Amino acid sequence: MSSSFADVVSYMVVVRGLHDAAYKLFGEKFLHLRGGATPGPSPREIYRVVDCKLDDVSASLRWIAEVIPGRYRAVELAISIHTLRNWADFHVPPEILQAALQYGATLRVAFMSPAI
């Protein structure tokens, strides 16, 4: 049985606790960003998410480390795998591992399936 649904792997840089002083710079650099606030007690922590292509991940992390160092609480590198299938494993590309280690980003991998 074949399916026309193709697996989609997305890469995102998540910046948590971005200081107000860096917010404008961040928005000017990354024109297509989204964000939100973590649930929980007040004050809620604001986060920003930048979608990246595999080739852009390292440059995005480098810009954050060089231009706004110390103006955020944490940086995460997220990999989202959207699939209809069950995955036993996922090979994280070496450039992702290297960038996460080099820039101190926490690596998160999420497997997501649409409701059927």
Side-chain angles (χ1 to χ4, degrees):
M1 180 169 130
S2 68
S3 172
S4 61
F5 183 85
D7 296 340
V8 177
V9 178
S10 303
Y11 301 95
M12 294 153 281
V13 173
V14 181
V15 179
R16 297 190 177 277
L18 187 64
H19 295 188
D20 290 340
Y23 183 80
K24 183 178 178 188
L25 287 171
F26 197 80
E28 290 171 353
K29 170 64 177 173
F30 302 107
L31 301 177
H32 303 285
L33 61 93
R34 50 197 163 91
T38 57
S42 189
R44 295 181 178 194
E45 183 175 64
I46 304 297
Y47 63 89
R48 296 289 174 237
V49 179
V50 178
D51 293 312
C52 297
K53 294 180 181 174
L54 180 59
D55 296 338
D56 299 331
V57 169
S58 185
S60 296
L61 290 172
R62 182 182 320 108
W63 183 90
I64 291 166
E66 292 176 356
V67 177
I68 58 169
R71 296 184 191 169
Y72 52 86
R73 185 186 63 76
V75 175
E76 299 171 359
L77 182 49
I79 303 171
S80 174
I81 302 165
H82 190 248
T83 182
L84 291 175
R85 303 178 295 157
N86 291 327
W87 283 48
D89 60 6
F90 171 71
H91 175 76
V92 177
E95 55 265 52
I96 293 293
L97 295 173
Q98 181 180 2
L101 286 171
Q102 183 174 357
Y103 297 106
T106 300
L107 182 60
R108 299 188 185 279
V109 179
F111 294 89
M112 296 180 228
S113 297
I116 299 176

